Amino acid sequence: MQKISTMSRSGNRILKKCQLTIGLDLGDRFSSYCVLDDDGEIILEQRGATTPEAVKQIFGRMAPCCIAMETGTHSPWVSRLLTALGHEVIVAHAQKVRLIVKSRRKDDRIDARTLARLARIDPELLSPVQHRSAQAQLHLTEIRARAGLVSARTALVNAARGLVKSSGERLRKCGTQQVRRESTSTLSAGLQEALEPLLREVESLNERIQEYDRRIARMAKETYPETALLKQVKGVGDLIATAYVLTIEDPHRFRKSRDAGCFVGLQPGRRNSGESEPQMHISKEGDEYLRTLLVQGAHYILGPFGEDSDLRRWGQQLAARGGKNAKKRAVVAVARKLAVLLHRLWVSGEVYEPLRNSQKELRAVA
């Protein structure tokens, strides 16, 4: 690796103002980086392996500096490692750096150079994000692994139903978790034999998913007791509560609870120009899996088993307005309100009152 005479170590002291600015474009196997001096001149452009050992070797010998990178598969562990080495790390939102996303010249070296220049001018241009801690990342991996098994189970069950239909028969209606080898009892002997290995695999996936459910319940109880505050809301169980806590991690990152709905991408987009203010779809930014879980919770709240609450009544009023997508809009709106409500319960530690607003209105009328 090429040495630079201007990069002299100044002990473990972290400089208040970074003397060097580095743009790091992370790749799966190799990463490119560009080093700028105080005047914005390029003093080094190199590439190295995307491994902990290589990162330590390259950046461990540098004086503390400002390093910008984009979000990606490797950005969590790389950002934590660079921070431990004493550098100031800026993790840019990959979809919001238009100079890179919309660029017609896609090149790792050019992307690294662009990141370095933007970080030097104004870090806010990178729409910086905050990665979760290593422990939260590890625990969230269990939840994501469960989601992978659920997705595989759904694909196998759908395959079984499609194969049966092509023979003029049908599997009985039930949830994917209820599909077993016994479900083929009404089918012909030939189909039962053909589907037996597939449904045996579905049963195995059911067992593994139940194992993850037990682990997540134990994790919520022992490691994240604050999830009990969130589970006061009917429709929010261990899975949703734990995923919510792990994804947000620090509830005080938001100035107000309403920002939680924006964080998971459930707020409508805005495009105001003059007198034009069109109604737009939700932004779908933030964590996609958490957004999916919140929508599932909203379906339960508005469904036949949801308890009577202000949130349910409000959602039903939206759905009753009619229109082509009234029910879908109501579900998304309730999911956004649910994200806000969970954050409020988490921060305040209050006891959840499902009909709090309705009771206030009754008392006001009386």
Side-chain angles (χ1 to χ4, degrees):
M1 187 62 61
Q2 181 179 350
K3 290 186 177 181
I4 313 171
S5 59
T6 58
M7 293 184 181
S8 59
R9 182 173 293 277
S10 58
N12 294 325
R13 180 172 60 90
I14 300 178
L15 303 179
K16 292 183 179 179
K17 184 177 180 180
C18 301
Q19 294 181 351
L20 299 176
T21 305
I22 301 176
L24 178 60
D25 186 75
L26 296 173
D28 187 51
R29 293 181 178 273
F30 294 94
S31 300
S32 299
Y33 61 97
C34 173
V35 183
L36 304 180
D37 61 14
D38 278 341
D39 298 323
E41 297 294 331
I42 299 175
I43 57 177
L44 177 66
E45 286 185 311
Q46 282 282 4
R47 68 197 297 259
T50 311
T51 63
E53 294 76 16
V55 171
K56 289 179 182 178
Q57 181 183 3
I58 296 171
F59 299 101
R61 295 178 295 179
M62 296 182 183
C65 52
C66 181
I67 302 177
M69 68 184 71
E70 288 184 293
T71 53
T73 303
H74 296 282
S75 62
W77 69 264
V78 173
S79 62
R80 287 194 291 266
L81 179 55
L82 291 175
T83 301
L85 293 174
H87 300 291
E88 178 187 349
V89 180
I90 303 172
V91 182
H93 193 304
Q95 299 301 318
K96 292 188 177 181
V97 186
R98 293 186 174 272
L99 287 177
I100 295 178
V101 176
K102 301 294 184 180
S103 176
R104 295 184 179 181
R105 299 177 60 193
K106 294 301 295 179
D107 181 84
D108 294 344
R109 181 176 59 85
I110 295 176
D111 290 349
R113 189 183 299 179
T114 302
L115 286 170
R117 295 201 182 284
L118 289 174
R120 181 177 175 273
I121 296 171
D122 184 0
E124 290 301 318
L125 295 174
L126 297 171
S127 300
V129 301
Q130 177 184 344
H131 276 311
R132 58 185 61 89
S133 65
Q135 182 187 28
Q137 184 74 33
L138 181 61
H139 288 164
L140 197 57
T141 298
E142 294 192 33
I143 293 178
R144 295 296 180 85
R146 178 194 180 277
L149 292 180
V150 171
S151 178
R153 180 181 65 183
T154 301
L156 289 178
V157 171
N158 288 342
R161 293 189 184 279
L163 292 169
V164 169
K165 287 180 182 180
S166 64
S167 297
E169 302 184 51
R170 289 179 182 272
L171 286 173
R172 70 168 185 265
K173 290 184 178 181
C174 63
T176 53
Q177 63 272 21
Q178 278 87 41
V179 175
R180 297 178 176 82
R181 279 171 286 182
E182 293 78 8
S183 304
T184 63
S185 58
T186 58
L187 303 180
S188 62
L191 279 178
Q192 291 185 36
E193 183 179 356
L195 295 178
E196 196 272 340
L198 188 151
L199 294 182
R200 187 167 62 242
E201 192 63 31
V202 172
E203 292 177 359
S204 177
L205 287 174
N206 282 331
E207 294 176 1
R208 301 289 79 77
I209 292 171
Q210 291 172 6
E211 180 182 349
Y212 269 120
D213 287 338
R214 291 190 291 269
R215 293 173 65 171
I216 293 171
R218 184 168 62 251
M219 181 199 308
K221 182 178 180 180
E222 298 177 358
T223 311
Y224 303 100
E226 59 269 32
T227 56
L229 296 170
L230 280 58
K231 290 192 295 181
Q232 296 180 91
V233 182
K234 297 298 182 181
V236 176
D238 290 315
L239 179 61
I240 296 179
T242 307
Y244 188 91
V245 168
L246 287 173
T247 303
I248 294 180
E249 193 171 12
D250 179 14
H252 302 291
R253 65 191 302 176
F254 305 130
R255 290 183 300 172
K256 49 187 178 181
S257 296
R258 187 173 296 179
D259 294 337
C262 302
F263 176 77
V264 293
L266 287 168
Q267 88 285 3
R270 296 181 62 185
R271 185 175 293 172
N272 299 348
S273 178
E275 299 298 324
S276 175
E277 190 174 346
Q279 188 176 28
M280 301 182 66
H281 297 291
I282 59 175
S283 66
K284 292 187 178 181
E285 296 178 348
D287 191 274
E288 181 180 359
Y289 183 62
L290 178 58
R291 185 167 60 250
T292 300
L293 291 179
L294 290 171
V295 170
Q296 290 176 2
H299 274 291
Y300 180 90
I301 290 172
L302 293 176
F305 303 107
E307 74 166 358
D308 188 20
S309 64
D310 293 328
L311 189 56
R312 177 182 171 88
R313 293 182 181 183
W314 180 77
Q316 288 176 335
Q317 289 177 359
L318 289 180
R321 292 179 181 177
K324 183 178 179 181
N325 297 315
K327 180 63 181 298
K328 291 182 180 179
R329 293 176 186 273
V331 169
V332 173
V334 169
R336 181 172 62 251
K337 285 261 189 181
L338 179 60
V340 176
L341 173 61
L342 295 181
H343 183 268
R344 184 59 188 170
L345 292 174
W346 186 3
V347 172
S348 65
E350 298 177 3
V351 175
Y352 175 57
E353 301 176 49
L355 295 171
R356 181 177 183 177
N357 294 334
S358 298
Q359 291 172 354
K360 282 185 179 180
E361 293 176 0
L362 288 176
R363 288 194 293 267
V365 172

